[in-house]
Amino acid sequence: MLMIILLGCCGMARSLTENKTRTALFVLVVFGLCSFFYLLGVWQRSGFGRGDSIAAVVNEQTKCLKLPNLNFETHHSASDLPNDTFSSQVKTFEPCDAEYTDYTPCEEQKRAMTFPRDHMIYRERHCPPENEKLYCLIPAPKGYVAPFPWPKSRDYVSYANVPHKSLTVEKAIQNWVHYEGNVFRFPGGGTQFPQGADKYIDQLASVIPITGGEVRTALDTGCGVASLGAYLLKKDVLTMSFAPKDNHEAQVQFALERGVPAYIGLLGSMKLSFPSRVFDMAHCSRCLIPWSGSNGMYMMEVDRVLRPGGYWVLSGPPIGWKIHYKGWQRTKDDLRSEQRKIEQFAELLCWKKISEKDGIAIWRKRLNDKSCPRKQDNSKVAKCELTSESDVWYKKMEACITPLPEVKSVSEVAGGELEPFPQRLNAVPPRIARGFVPGFSVQTYQEDNKLWQKHVNAYKKTNDLLDTGRYRNIMDMNAGLGSFAAVLESPKLWVMNVVPFIADTSTLGVIYERGLIGMYHDWCEGFSTYPRTYDLIHANGVFSLYQNKCKFEDILLEMDRILRPEGAVIIRDTVDALVKVEKIANAMRWETRLADHEGGPRVPEKMLFAVKQYWTADSKSRR
């Protein structure tokens, strides 16, 4: 059983209304005992669960806070908010105005309109300066309810959660989404697959080995409501879908509400927030990206993130122009010219076209740079400078070809061949086996897997709903090698593995080689998602990492923004960090529970479990 400790020894005084009768003498005794055993644990060299039973008993006796009303279950109606129980040293965070219900700090329309239109710069990330940040709690819309459980959520979303009907009008004939009563229904259609995503995927599978685990990670550019990604999950393909925040309101919000991985983004002027060579397949279904323009820059960016031997799918204009040009209201010459340019760029990239049928074209990326050296040595095509594959955060996209790791033969897969999924989940990733990730070896990788199995088992003792399907969309804010997500791997859930760009070592490539997904981010800024899009957030060492980089309030308020009402949080960090975090968390209406490390009370690392309370923009009760 996890043991809960009071960290009053670090200067935190609790004012719990239910404990007003406690005497000053009892508090003093508790303070002394906590101080003594914490300092003893720090002093001891062996701090990993080898403490004696006497210390454990005393720790059990001195835990002073239990929250019997801490609730990991879901509710579907508003409830009264409890009285103020947090430290007076932290000011209560008040709710924001109802107009901020869908607030996305780095993709706000008013700020976006002040930036240039070329290369879609105005639709990229533009975060608010310090003096414009909101220090209030983003409210849920009136009537908000817990999303339907997966797989029902794939097809149905409550109108109250995403009260926007514009897509039902704009895409009415394309079978994207229908409004029916108090829910939206998603029939699985799309602009290029009106008969449904299943049939479209069957067409792709006749050419691409989608089943069998060879294709596991996919990138869907301009995803709409992510129906392709939703239906690829049936094939055990995990898709990272993205679309801009534009006049097709709430595309990504719908996707995440359905329980499908997605984020707000586009191919504009900046590199995608992924390392090189990570996706097994990339896809564009009438995604409106000008592939033939900018000297092939966008195709070169897809080439960068596509794994050697990976597939690129393009459906919609200009593919199939001979049949569909009238419906697209464009001339034959215009469409022919556009496709010719795309074909030329594909040839320079050494992509092999393996199919074009029914308006769908499929290319396959080269296995290595020995495949067609003469084409890529063309003086018209620049080679990207050899920099770190992780050096992409806020970096300008360039019209250049990213070199692949060197190989000895023309048949060798650059960077190493992957096992099919699910074997690749726990197999040694090529980046580790080949020593491409400083500080990590085969042994440390295997030890990391075992460690996180223990950590997750400990989490389940406090939150036994962790892998039951209660939490569908999960965020790991500091994912490391992705072992937390690997332990949880299940069709019931998916994990967005975030690697902070300030981390000492980039491990995101390893995460993708395991058949998982994720992206780079800076937690001093807002994440590119709508509010209330994650059911559970895991933060391992995040606050220690960002100590003196930005305010803890900024990080915690962002966590609150993207967490669903009654969503759960698990924070693992040092005692000092958690003392500060818990004060702020209580000021944000979270119910919190501190617990010892599973290794025992002597380990200075502790855990904080929390649940975000249910309240909406129309709630009358206030703390």
Side-chain angles (χ1 to χ4, degrees), residues 312-618:
W312 187 55
V313 180
L314 178 61
S315 65
I319 308 302
W321 60 268
K322 294 179 181 178
I323 300 173
H324 302 293
Y325 75 95
K326 290 183 179 179
W328 294 335
Q329 298 181 343
R330 291 175 60 183
T331 66
K332 287 184 178 181
D333 289 342
D334 181 27
L335 290 162
R336 183 191 296 113
S337 175
E338 182 180 353
Q339 180 157 351
R340 185 183 296 119
K341 289 180 180 178
I342 290 173
E343 302 277 10
Q344 289 171 349
F345 290 134
E347 186 177 358
L348 287 173
L349 290 167
C350 297
W351 292 359
K352 180 181 179 181
K353 191 174 187 180
I354 57 177
S355 176
E356 182 176 346
K357 184 180 179 181
D358 299 328
I360 304 173
I362 302 173
W363 287 264
R364 192 176 188 196
K365 180 178 172 175
R366 66 201 183 279
L367 289 178
N368 52 60
D369 283 344
K370 288 184 178 290
S371 304
C372 50
R374 285 181 295 176
K375 288 189 177 69
Q376 295 207 334
D377 286 342
N378 190 315
S379 59
K380 295 180 181 179
V381 184
K383 280 200 172 185
C384 302
E385 293 184 12
L386 287 173
T387 57
S388 169
E389 66 173 23
S390 62
D391 189 23
V392 297
W393 185 248
Y394 282 126
K395 292 300 174 68
K396 288 285 187 181
M397 200 185 303
E398 298 176 277
C400 61
I401 297 176
T402 303
L404 293 172
E406 294 184 2
V407 295
K408 296 179 180 179
S409 69
V410 71
S411 61
E412 184 182 347
V413 178
E417 193 167 359
L418 292 177
E419 298 277 354
F421 193 84
Q423 290 92 323
R424 72 171 70 169
L425 183 64
N426 292 306
V428 178
R431 281 173 166 87
I432 296 288
R434 299 188 175 209
F436 291 165
V437 186
F440 291 95
S441 64
V442 172
Q443 181 180 348
T444 55
Y445 167 76
Q446 293 170 339
E447 290 172 350
D448 191 72
N449 283 335
K450 293 177 182 178
L451 177 64
W452 279 101
Q453 185 68 64
K454 292 180 181 178
H455 287 342
V456 173
N457 287 340
Y459 294 161
K460 291 177 183 177
K461 292 179 181 178
T462 295
N463 184 348
D464 58 6
L465 300 175
L466 190 58
D467 59 355
T468 63
R470 166 64 179 83
Y471 308 114
R472 170 69 183 171
N473 303 357
I474 297 178
M475 165 82 73
D476 192 356
M477 296 175 66
N478 187 17
L481 297 175
S483 298
F484 170 77
V487 173
L488 289 178
E489 169 57 28
S490 165
K492 299 175 185 177
L493 56 85
W494 59 271
V495 180
M496 178 68 81
N497 293 283
V498 177
V499 173
F501 93 103
I502 67 169
D504 292 336
T505 303
S506 171
T507 52
L508 192 53
V510 171
I511 289 170
Y512 273 91
E513 288 183 340
R514 302 186 72 170
L516 304 169
I517 58 171
M519 60 194 304
Y520 295 113
H521 184 61
D522 179 6
W523 285 113
C524 291
E525 301 180 356
F527 194 75
S528 290
T529 190
Y530 285 85
R532 303 171 303 280
T533 48
Y534 286 88
D535 303 298
L536 183 143
I537 299 176
H538 178 250
N540 173 43
V542 169
F543 294 93
S544 294
L545 180 65
Y546 278 92
Q547 185 80 43
N548 301 322
K549 303 241 178 357
C550 57
K551 294 184 289 188
F552 283 10
E553 288 91 332
D554 290 337
I555 300 173
L556 284 159
L557 284 169
E558 178 60 7
M559 292 170 68
D560 183 83
R561 184 185 74 87
I562 68 178
L563 186 65
R564 298 192 197 278
E566 297 188 315
V569 175
I570 303 173
I571 303 174
R572 177 182 289 271
D573 220 310
T574 64
V575 171
D576 290 344
L578 288 186
V579 167
K580 299 175 185 177
V581 167
E582 190 184 26
K583 290 180 183 179
I584 300 167
N586 288 334
M588 297 192 311
R589 307 170 181 234
W590 290 4
E591 293 286 357
T592 60
R593 176 186 295 174
L594 273 168
D596 274 328
H597 188 281
E598 63 272 11
R602 296 184 182 185
V603 183
E605 182 181 75
K606 307 296 178 184
M607 294 177 286
L608 178 70
F609 295 87
V611 174
K612 177 179 175 179
Q613 295 183 39
Y614 179 100
W615 62 277
T616 65
D618 63 321

Side-chain angles (χ1 to χ4, degrees), residues 38-152:
Y38 170 64
L39 293 173
L40 179 63
V42 173
W43 175 75
Q44 289 283 353
R45 291 182 59 190
S46 57
F48 295 93
R50 294 187 289 271
D52 59 33
S53 59
I54 296 176
V57 170
V58 173
N59 180 264
E60 177 70 14
Q61 291 174 346
T62 58
K63 62 185 183 184
C64 304
L65 175 62
K66 290 186 178 180
L67 297 174
N69 61 339
L70 185 64
N71 192 357
F72 291 100
E73 299 289 349
T74 178
H75 298 281
H76 292 262
S77 61
S79 58
D80 292 336
L81 299 174
N83 294 327
D84 183 10
T85 61
F86 64 94
S87 170
S88 60
Q89 296 178 19
V90 179
K91 184 179 179 182
T92 307
F93 292 99
E94 297 297 330
C96 303
D97 292 339
E99 65 185 272
Y100 291 103
T101 294
D102 291 332
Y103 180 63
T104 54
C106 297
E107 285 89 8
E108 280 302 288
Q109 182 74 8
K110 185 176 179 181
R111 186 178 300 106
M113 297 307 291
T114 65
F115 288 88
R117 302 295 191 272
D118 57 307
H119 292 298
M120 306 292 284
I121 292 174
Y122 75 109
R123 283 187 177 169
E124 294 181 316
R125 286 176 57 86
H126 302 291
C127 300
E130 192 68 28
N131 62 347
E132 293 182 19
K133 288 183 178 179
L134 290 183
Y135 286 93
C136 53
L137 305 176
I138 304 300
K142 180 180 179 180
Y144 180 89
V145 297
F148 296 109
W150 182 266
K152 185 177 180 179

